[in-house]
Amino acid sequence: GAVVSQHPSWVICKSGTSVKIECRSLDFQATTMFWYRQFPKQSLMLMATSNEGSKATYEQGVEKDKFLINHASLTLSTLTVTSAHPEDSSFYICSASGGSRNEQFFGPGTRLTVL
Amino acid sequence: DAKTTQPTSMDCAEGRAANLPCNHSTISGNEYVYWYRQIHSQGPQYIIHGLKNNETNEMASLIITEDRKSSTLILPHATLRDTAVYYCIVRPLNRDDKIIFGKGTRLHILP
């Protein structure tokens, strides 16, 4: 299947700092990318949908000024958690759709720990 | 809100077939049944999808009832590596549509 990567795989930061997570589609052009958040023992919660070259669409309750999403190219989307706090500690997962297959492909996830 | 209902957890002996049920009584005519799984601390992995006919691939089989209100994912010979949370999702075929995950079924494969 198609490959989606995320970087970094884990990150620890101090409260108040900003953290950027990258999501890349390695072997196809991703017209749409999605960002999810997952707390321990819970399901994935969709945060936002991003289309290349346009503003992201955020789900209800997700602060767009806190979770900045940029989808500047067909192979890269970034999620920046601004002024991170301990409650932002979570597993962040992206998915991408595009190419010749009618599916979404998920990245391996990024574990964020805010001290 | 997720449109599916799944058991919270299931156990299956290694080497046996694992049958995971899913109810989707409000499925629309243009919606497919998709199955994903998530192994601990990894991203979800696509397994299979179908509209109304039974489907089989190298990973699993999908049995959809004639009225399409329920389905069963079958892992024919479960191994320890199949221990994961399995998500049943109904959605249109459009790959650009967002996926809303329910709580899924936590499948434990027992040695």
Side-chain angles (χ1 to χ4, degrees):
Chain A
V3 178
V4 175
S5 70
Q6 287 185 236
H7 177 80
S9 55
W10 60 270
V11 56
I12 301 172
C13 70
K14 293 182 179 180
S15 185
T17 61
S18 294
V19 175
K20 180 185 286 187
I21 302 170
E22 294 183 348
C23 176
R24 293 182 185 272
S25 56
L26 299 184
D27 54 357
F28 68 101
Q29 292 186 324
T31 50
T32 306
M33 287 184 166
F34 303 85
W35 286 95
Y36 296 83
R37 179 169 54 180
Q38 186 176 33
F39 294 109
K41 297 194 181 298
Q42 294 187 23
S43 186
L44 287 80
M45 185 194 79
L46 179 67
M47 299 175 69
T49 303
S50 74
N51 294 290
E52 186 265 339
S54 61
K55 290 184 178 180
T57 302
Y58 290 82
E59 295 297 304
Q60 190 173 8
V62 178
E63 299 176 57
K64 63 179 181 180
D65 294 331
K66 179 168 182 61
F67 299 99
L68 302 178
I69 293 172
N70 184 283
H71 191 167
S73 78
L74 285 172
T75 59
L76 174 64
S77 176
T78 60
L79 168 68
T80 301
V81 183
T82 62
S83 187
H85 291 285
E87 57 265 31
D88 298 323
S89 297
S90 189
F91 193 49
Y92 291 86
I93 303 167
C94 71
S95 71
S97 64
S100 60
R101 297 180 65 181
N102 207 8
E103 301 167 24
Q104 286 183 26
F105 299 93
F106 288 83
T110 296
R111 187 163 301 282
L112 169 64
T113 302
V114 184
L115 302 177
Chain B
D1 291 336
K3 299 182 181 179
T4 62
T5 304
Q6 299 177 251
T8 301
S9 66
M10 294 182 63
D11 292 338
C12 178
E14 188 178 18
R16 296 293 188 101
N19 297 283
L20 291 89
C22 179
N23 288 322
H24 31 79
S25 58
T26 61
I27 190 170
S28 301
N30 68 334
E31 289 181 320
Y32 285 66
V33 180
Y34 279 77
W35 283 83
Y36 291 84
R37 74 179 182 184
Q38 185 179 25
I39 295 171
H40 182 62
S41 294
Q42 297 183 22
Q45 176 189 22
Y46 165 83
I47 300 174
I48 198 168
H49 74 279
L51 181 63
K52 55 182 179 181
N53 297 320
N54 298 338
E55 301 288 344
T56 295
N57 63 21
E58 63 277 5
M59 290 184 67
S61 295
L62 173 60
I63 309 297
I64 302 174
T65 58
E66 193 168 342
D67 64 7
R68 302 210 320 126
K69 292 185 177 182
S70 65
S71 61
T72 301
L73 178 74
I74 301 172
L75 307 178
H77 305 287
T79 70
L80 297 178
R81 289 177 295 181
D82 293 322
T83 293
V85 178
Y86 287 76
Y87 296 98
C88 169
I89 294 159
V90 295
R91 57 188 287 260
L93 188 62
N94 184 352
R95 68 190 179 194
D96 295 332
D97 272 11
K98 57 188 178 183
I99 297 175
I100 303 299
F101 286 85
K103 296 182 178 180
T105 295
R106 188 171 296 274
L107 176 66
H108 295 101
I109 305 301
L110 306 175

PDB file of all heavy atoms in Angstrom, chain B residues 45-69:
ATOM      1  N   GLN B  45      -4.576   0.742  10.191  1.00  0.00           N
ATOM      2  CA  GLN B  45      -4.225   0.023   8.966  1.00  0.00           C
ATOM      3  C   GLN B  45      -5.506  -0.412   8.281  1.00  0.00           C
ATOM      4  O   GLN B  45      -6.392  -1.002   8.911  1.00  0.00           O
ATOM      5  CB  GLN B  45      -3.379  -1.200   9.326  1.00  0.00           C
ATOM      6  CG  GLN B  45      -3.026  -2.096   8.149  1.00  0.00           C
ATOM      7  CD  GLN B  45      -2.382  -3.402   8.601  1.00  0.00           C
ATOM      8  OE1 GLN B  45      -2.545  -3.848   9.734  1.00  0.00           O
ATOM      9  NE2 GLN B  45      -1.638  -4.019   7.700  1.00  0.00           N
ATOM     10  N   TYR B  46      -5.622  -0.113   7.009  1.00  0.00           N
ATOM     11  CA  TYR B  46      -6.782  -0.545   6.227  1.00  0.00           C
ATOM     12  C   TYR B  46      -6.792  -2.064   6.107  1.00  0.00           C
ATOM     13  O   TYR B  46      -5.742  -2.682   5.895  1.00  0.00           O
ATOM     14  CB  TYR B  46      -6.734   0.097   4.843  1.00  0.00           C
ATOM     15  CG  TYR B  46      -7.656  -0.539   3.819  1.00  0.00           C
ATOM     16  CD1 TYR B  46      -8.994  -0.189   3.749  1.00  0.00           C
ATOM     17  CD2 TYR B  46      -7.175  -1.503   2.940  1.00  0.00           C
ATOM     18  CE1 TYR B  46      -9.840  -0.770   2.810  1.00  0.00           C
ATOM     19  CE2 TYR B  46      -8.013  -2.090   2.005  1.00  0.00           C
ATOM     20  CZ  TYR B  46      -9.334  -1.724   1.938  1.00  0.00           C
ATOM     21  OH  TYR B  46     -10.156  -2.313   1.021  1.00  0.00           O
ATOM     22  N   ILE B  47      -7.975  -2.663   6.259  1.00  0.00           N
ATOM     23  CA  ILE B  47      -8.084  -4.114   6.098  1.00  0.00           C
ATOM     24  C   ILE B  47      -8.866  -4.457   4.832  1.00  0.00           C
ATOM     25  O   ILE B  47      -8.371  -5.148   3.945  1.00  0.00           O
ATOM     26  CB  ILE B  47      -8.778  -4.754   7.317  1.00  0.00           C
ATOM     27  CG1 ILE B  47      -7.999  -4.474   8.598  1.00  0.00           C
ATOM     28  CG2 ILE B  47      -8.904  -6.268   7.110  1.00  0.00           C
ATOM     29  CD1 ILE B  47      -8.714  -4.948   9.858  1.00  0.00           C
ATOM     30  N   ILE B  48     -10.100  -3.984   4.754  1.00  0.00           N
ATOM     31  CA  ILE B  48     -10.974  -4.409   3.668  1.00  0.00           C
ATOM     32  C   ILE B  48     -12.189  -3.501   3.621  1.00  0.00           C
ATOM     33  O   ILE B  48     -12.475  -2.812   4.610  1.00  0.00           O
ATOM     34  CB  ILE B  48     -11.392  -5.883   3.890  1.00  0.00           C
ATOM     35  CG1 ILE B  48     -11.934  -6.539   2.618  1.00  0.00           C
ATOM     36  CG2 ILE B  48     -12.400  -5.995   5.035  1.00  0.00           C
ATOM     37  CD1 ILE B  48     -12.073  -8.061   2.748  1.00  0.00           C
ATOM     38  N   HIS B  49     -12.872  -3.451   2.501  1.00  0.00           N
ATOM     39  CA  HIS B  49     -14.145  -2.755   2.449  1.00  0.00           C
ATOM     40  C   HIS B  49     -15.068  -3.433   1.437  1.00  0.00           C
ATOM     41  O   HIS B  49     -14.601  -4.182   0.560  1.00  0.00           O
ATOM     42  CB  HIS B  49     -13.962  -1.271   2.108  1.00  0.00           C
ATOM     43  CG  HIS B  49     -13.609  -0.985   0.674  1.00  0.00           C
ATOM     44  ND1 HIS B  49     -12.322  -1.094   0.194  1.00  0.00           N
ATOM     45  CD2 HIS B  49     -14.371  -0.584  -0.373  1.00  0.00           C
ATOM     46  CE1 HIS B  49     -12.306  -0.769  -1.085  1.00  0.00           C
ATOM     47  NE2 HIS B  49     -13.532  -0.458  -1.466  1.00  0.00           N
ATOM     48  N   GLY B  50     -16.375  -3.180   1.583  1.00  0.00           N
ATOM     49  CA  GLY B  50     -17.343  -3.775   0.684  1.00  0.00           C
ATOM     50  C   GLY B  50     -18.642  -2.995   0.684  1.00  0.00           C
ATOM     51  O   GLY B  50     -18.926  -2.235   1.600  1.00  0.00           O
ATOM     52  N   LEU B  51     -19.446  -3.222  -0.344  1.00  0.00           N
ATOM     53  CA  LEU B  51     -20.737  -2.543  -0.479  1.00  0.00           C
ATOM     54  C   LEU B  51     -21.876  -3.490  -0.100  1.00  0.00           C
ATOM     55  O   LEU B  51     -22.652  -3.207   0.799  1.00  0.00           O
ATOM     56  CB  LEU B  51     -20.927  -2.049  -1.904  1.00  0.00           C
ATOM     57  CG  LEU B  51     -22.236  -1.300  -2.181  1.00  0.00           C
ATOM     58  CD1 LEU B  51     -22.311  -0.025  -1.353  1.00  0.00           C
ATOM     59  CD2 LEU B  51     -22.379  -0.990  -3.668  1.00  0.00           C
ATOM     60  N   LYS B  52     -21.999  -4.600  -0.805  1.00  0.00           N
ATOM     61  CA  LYS B  52     -23.057  -5.550  -0.480  1.00  0.00           C
ATOM     62  C   LYS B  52     -22.638  -6.994  -0.707  1.00  0.00           C
ATOM     63  O   LYS B  52     -23.186  -7.895  -0.106  1.00  0.00           O
ATOM     64  CB  LYS B  52     -24.322  -5.244  -1.253  1.00  0.00           C
ATOM     65  CG  LYS B  52     -24.146  -5.183  -2.760  1.00  0.00           C
ATOM     66  CD  LYS B  52     -25.459  -4.827  -3.429  1.00  0.00           C
ATOM     67  CE  LYS B  52     -25.300  -4.724  -4.953  1.00  0.00           C
ATOM     68  NZ  LYS B  52     -26.573  -4.354  -5.616  1.00  0.00           N
ATOM     69  N   ASN B  53     -21.668  -7.194  -1.552  1.00  0.00           N
ATOM     70  CA  ASN B  53     -21.182  -8.541  -1.775  1.00  0.00           C
ATOM     71  C   ASN B  53     -20.089  -8.882  -0.779  1.00  0.00           C
ATOM     72  O   ASN B  53     -19.426  -8.014  -0.237  1.00  0.00           O
ATOM     73  CB  ASN B  53     -20.625  -8.680  -3.195  1.00  0.00           C
ATOM     74  CG  ASN B  53     -21.696  -8.460  -4.240  1.00  0.00           C
ATOM     75  OD1 ASN B  53     -22.824  -8.905  -4.087  1.00  0.00           O
ATOM     76  ND2 ASN B  53     -21.345  -7.743  -5.294  1.00  0.00           N
ATOM     77  N   ASN B  54     -19.923 -10.154  -0.524  1.00  0.00           N
ATOM     78  CA  ASN B  54     -18.837 -10.566   0.346  1.00  0.00           C
ATOM     79  C   ASN B  54     -17.507 -10.305  -0.340  1.00  0.00           C
ATOM     80  O   ASN B  54     -17.384 -10.423  -1.562  1.00  0.00           O
ATOM     81  CB  ASN B  54     -18.983 -12.050   0.685  1.00  0.00           C
ATOM     82  CG  ASN B  54     -20.263 -12.338   1.445  1.00  0.00           C
ATOM     83  OD1 ASN B  54     -20.841 -11.450   2.072  1.00  0.00           O
ATOM     84  ND2 ASN B  54     -20.725 -13.573   1.378  1.00  0.00           N
ATOM     85  N   GLU B  55     -16.523  -9.937   0.445  1.00  0.00           N
ATOM     86  CA  GLU B  55     -15.216  -9.613  -0.093  1.00  0.00           C
ATOM     87  C   GLU B  55     -14.146 -10.402   0.641  1.00  0.00           C
ATOM     88  O   GLU B  55     -14.300 -10.704   1.831  1.00  0.00           O
ATOM     89  CB  GLU B  55     -14.921  -8.116   0.045  1.00  0.00           C
ATOM     90  CG  GLU B  55     -15.907  -7.180  -0.633  1.00  0.00           C
ATOM     91  CD  GLU B  55     -15.789  -7.191  -2.149  1.00  0.00           C
ATOM     92  OE1 GLU B  55     -14.758  -7.680  -2.664  1.00  0.00           O
ATOM     93  OE2 GLU B  55     -16.733  -6.707  -2.820  1.00  0.00           O
ATOM     94  N   THR B  56     -13.070 -10.707  -0.076  1.00  0.00           N
ATOM     95  CA  THR B  56     -11.939 -11.406   0.537  1.00  0.00           C
ATOM     96  C   THR B  56     -10.653 -10.841  -0.022  1.00  0.00           C
ATOM     97  O   THR B  56     -10.566 -10.552  -1.209  1.00  0.00           O
ATOM     98  CB  THR B  56     -12.013 -12.927   0.243  1.00  0.00           C
ATOM     99  OG1 THR B  56     -13.169 -13.469   0.868  1.00  0.00           O
ATOM    100  CG2 THR B  56     -10.786 -13.645   0.816  1.00  0.00           C
ATOM    101  N   ASN B  57      -9.687 -10.661   0.856  1.00  0.00           N
ATOM    102  CA  ASN B  57      -8.336 -10.326   0.402  1.00  0.00           C
ATOM    103  C   ASN B  57      -7.328 -11.124   1.222  1.00  0.00           C
ATOM    104  O   ASN B  57      -7.706 -12.046   1.964  1.00  0.00           O
ATOM    105  CB  ASN B  57      -8.080  -8.822   0.452  1.00  0.00           C
ATOM    106  CG  ASN B  57      -8.156  -8.246   1.863  1.00  0.00           C
ATOM    107  OD1 ASN B  57      -8.025  -8.980   2.851  1.00  0.00           O
ATOM    108  ND2 ASN B  57      -8.381  -6.958   1.959  1.00  0.00           N
ATOM    109  N   GLU B  58      -6.080 -10.761   1.100  1.00  0.00           N
ATOM    110  CA  GLU B  58      -5.038 -11.549   1.769  1.00  0.00           C
ATOM    111  C   GLU B  58      -5.092 -11.428   3.291  1.00  0.00           C
ATOM    112  O   GLU B  58      -4.509 -12.243   3.995  1.00  0.00           O
ATOM    113  CB  GLU B  58      -3.659 -11.119   1.262  1.00  0.00           C
ATOM    114  CG  GLU B  58      -3.282  -9.686   1.569  1.00  0.00           C
ATOM    115  CD  GLU B  58      -3.851  -8.687   0.586  1.00  0.00           C
ATOM    116  OE1 GLU B  58      -4.626  -9.091  -0.298  1.00  0.00           O
ATOM    117  OE2 GLU B  58      -3.530  -7.489   0.726  1.00  0.00           O
ATOM    118  N   MET B  59      -5.766 -10.430   3.787  1.00  0.00           N
ATOM    119  CA  MET B  59      -5.824 -10.227   5.236  1.00  0.00           C
ATOM    120  C   MET B  59      -7.070 -10.845   5.869  1.00  0.00           C
ATOM    121  O   MET B  59      -7.001 -11.385   6.979  1.00  0.00           O
ATOM    122  CB  MET B  59      -5.796  -8.742   5.572  1.00  0.00           C
ATOM    123  CG  MET B  59      -4.476  -8.047   5.318  1.00  0.00           C
ATOM    124  SD  MET B  59      -4.531  -6.329   5.844  1.00  0.00           S
ATOM    125  CE  MET B  59      -4.678  -6.511   7.615  1.00  0.00           C
ATOM    126  N   ALA B  60      -8.213 -10.683   5.193  1.00  0.00           N
ATOM    127  CA  ALA B  60      -9.460 -11.039   5.856  1.00  0.00           C
ATOM    128  C   ALA B  60     -10.584 -11.243   4.846  1.00  0.00           C
ATOM    129  O   ALA B  60     -10.416 -10.995   3.645  1.00  0.00           O
ATOM    130  CB  ALA B  60      -9.844  -9.911   6.817  1.00  0.00           C
ATOM    131  N   SER B  61     -11.725 -11.689   5.389  1.00  0.00           N
ATOM    132  CA  SER B  61     -12.961 -11.761   4.606  1.00  0.00           C
ATOM    133  C   SER B  61     -14.000 -10.871   5.272  1.00  0.00           C
ATOM    134  O   SER B  61     -13.994 -10.711   6.493  1.00  0.00           O
ATOM    135  CB  SER B  61     -13.479 -13.192   4.538  1.00  0.00           C
ATOM    136  OG  SER B  61     -12.594 -14.023   3.827  1.00  0.00           O
ATOM    137  N   LEU B  62     -14.867 -10.301   4.448  1.00  0.00           N
ATOM    138  CA  LEU B  62     -15.941  -9.440   4.936  1.00  0.00           C
ATOM    139  C   LEU B  62     -17.260 -10.021   4.456  1.00  0.00           C
ATOM    140  O   LEU B  62     -17.463 -10.185   3.250  1.00  0.00           O
ATOM    141  CB  LEU B  62     -15.760  -8.015   4.412  1.00  0.00           C
ATOM    142  CG  LEU B  62     -16.881  -7.022   4.695  1.00  0.00           C
ATOM    143  CD1 LEU B  62     -17.094  -6.857   6.196  1.00  0.00           C
ATOM    144  CD2 LEU B  62     -16.573  -5.677   4.054  1.00  0.00           C
ATOM    145  N   ILE B  63     -18.114 -10.319   5.421  1.00  0.00           N
ATOM    146  CA  ILE B  63     -19.436 -10.859   5.118  1.00  0.00           C
ATOM    147  C   ILE B  63     -20.464  -9.793   5.469  1.00  0.00           C
ATOM    148  O   ILE B  63     -20.531  -9.358   6.631  1.00  0.00           O
ATOM    149  CB  ILE B  63     -19.731 -12.146   5.911  1.00  0.00           C
ATOM    150  CG1 ILE B  63     -18.591 -13.159   5.757  1.00  0.00           C
ATOM    151  CG2 ILE B  63     -21.077 -12.735   5.494  1.00  0.00           C
ATOM    152  CD1 ILE B  63     -18.384 -13.640   4.357  1.00  0.00           C
ATOM    153  N   ILE B  64     -21.245  -9.349   4.494  1.00  0.00           N
ATOM    154  CA  ILE B  64     -22.268  -8.332   4.708  1.00  0.00           C
ATOM    155  C   ILE B  64     -23.626  -8.994   4.528  1.00  0.00           C
ATOM    156  O   ILE B  64     -23.857  -9.682   3.525  1.00  0.00           O
ATOM    157  CB  ILE B  64     -22.097  -7.164   3.708  1.00  0.00           C
ATOM    158  CG1 ILE B  64     -20.700  -6.553   3.850  1.00  0.00           C
ATOM    159  CG2 ILE B  64     -23.164  -6.097   3.945  1.00  0.00           C
ATOM    160  CD1 ILE B  64     -20.387  -5.495   2.806  1.00  0.00           C
ATOM    161  N   THR B  65     -24.521  -8.762   5.490  1.00  0.00           N
ATOM    162  CA  THR B  65     -25.846  -9.365   5.383  1.00  0.00           C
ATOM    163  C   THR B  65     -26.612  -8.779   4.205  1.00  0.00           C
ATOM    164  O   THR B  65     -26.311  -7.677   3.730  1.00  0.00           O
ATOM    165  CB  THR B  65     -26.649  -9.158   6.668  1.00  0.00           C
ATOM    166  OG1 THR B  65     -26.746  -7.742   6.924  1.00  0.00           O
ATOM    167  CG2 THR B  65     -25.986  -9.834   7.851  1.00  0.00           C
ATOM    168  N   GLU B  66     -27.616  -9.507   3.780  1.00  0.00           N
ATOM    169  CA  GLU B  66     -28.356  -9.095   2.581  1.00  0.00           C
ATOM    170  C   GLU B  66     -29.025  -7.735   2.771  1.00  0.00           C
ATOM    171  O   GLU B  66     -29.099  -6.937   1.834  1.00  0.00           O
ATOM    172  CB  GLU B  66     -29.416 -10.152   2.240  1.00  0.00           C
ATOM    173  CG  GLU B  66     -30.019  -9.986   0.860  1.00  0.00           C
ATOM    174  CD  GLU B  66     -30.846 -11.183   0.436  1.00  0.00           C
ATOM    175  OE1 GLU B  66     -30.694 -12.276   1.034  1.00  0.00           O
ATOM    176  OE2 GLU B  66     -31.648 -11.026  -0.487  1.00  0.00           O
ATOM    177  N   ASP B  67     -29.503  -7.464   3.979  1.00  0.00           N
ATOM    178  CA  ASP B  67     -30.124  -6.159   4.235  1.00  0.00           C
ATOM    179  C   ASP B  67     -29.104  -5.068   4.547  1.00  0.00           C
ATOM    180  O   ASP B  67     -29.480  -3.916   4.762  1.00  0.00           O
ATOM    181  CB  ASP B  67     -31.161  -6.257   5.360  1.00  0.00           C
ATOM    182  CG  ASP B  67     -30.545  -6.646   6.699  1.00  0.00           C
ATOM    183  OD1 ASP B  67     -29.305  -6.711   6.793  1.00  0.00           O
ATOM    184  OD2 ASP B  67     -31.297  -6.878   7.644  1.00  0.00           O
ATOM    185  N   ARG B  68     -27.842  -5.437   4.588  1.00  0.00           N
ATOM    186  CA  ARG B  68     -26.707  -4.533   4.806  1.00  0.00           C
ATOM    187  C   ARG B  68     -26.711  -3.880   6.183  1.00  0.00           C
ATOM    188  O   ARG B  68     -25.993  -2.912   6.399  1.00  0.00           O
ATOM    189  CB  ARG B  68     -26.635  -3.455   3.726  1.00  0.00           C
ATOM    190  CG  ARG B  68     -26.529  -3.981   2.332  1.00  0.00           C
ATOM    191  CD  ARG B  68     -25.777  -3.105   1.359  1.00  0.00           C
ATOM    192  NE  ARG B  68     -26.019  -1.687   1.496  1.00  0.00           N
ATOM    193  CZ  ARG B  68     -25.060  -0.777   1.659  1.00  0.00           C
ATOM    194  NH1 ARG B  68     -23.802  -1.142   1.722  1.00  0.00           N
ATOM    195  NH2 ARG B  68     -25.378   0.497   1.749  1.00  0.00           N
ATOM    196  N   LYS B  69     -27.487  -4.395   7.091  1.00  0.00           N
ATOM    197  CA  LYS B  69     -27.553  -3.768   8.409  1.00  0.00           C
ATOM    198  C   LYS B  69     -26.485  -4.291   9.359  1.00  0.00           C
ATOM    199  O   LYS B  69     -26.327  -3.780  10.469  1.00  0.00           O
ATOM    200  CB  LYS B  69     -28.946  -3.953   9.007  1.00  0.00           C
ATOM    201  CG  LYS B  69     -30.020  -3.181   8.249  1.00  0.00           C
ATOM    202  CD  LYS B  69     -31.369  -3.285   8.926  1.00  0.00           C
ATOM    203  CE  LYS B  69     -32.403  -2.429   8.181  1.00  0.00           C
ATOM    204  NZ  LYS B  69     -33.725  -2.468   8.838  1.00  0.00           N
TER     205      LYS B  69
END
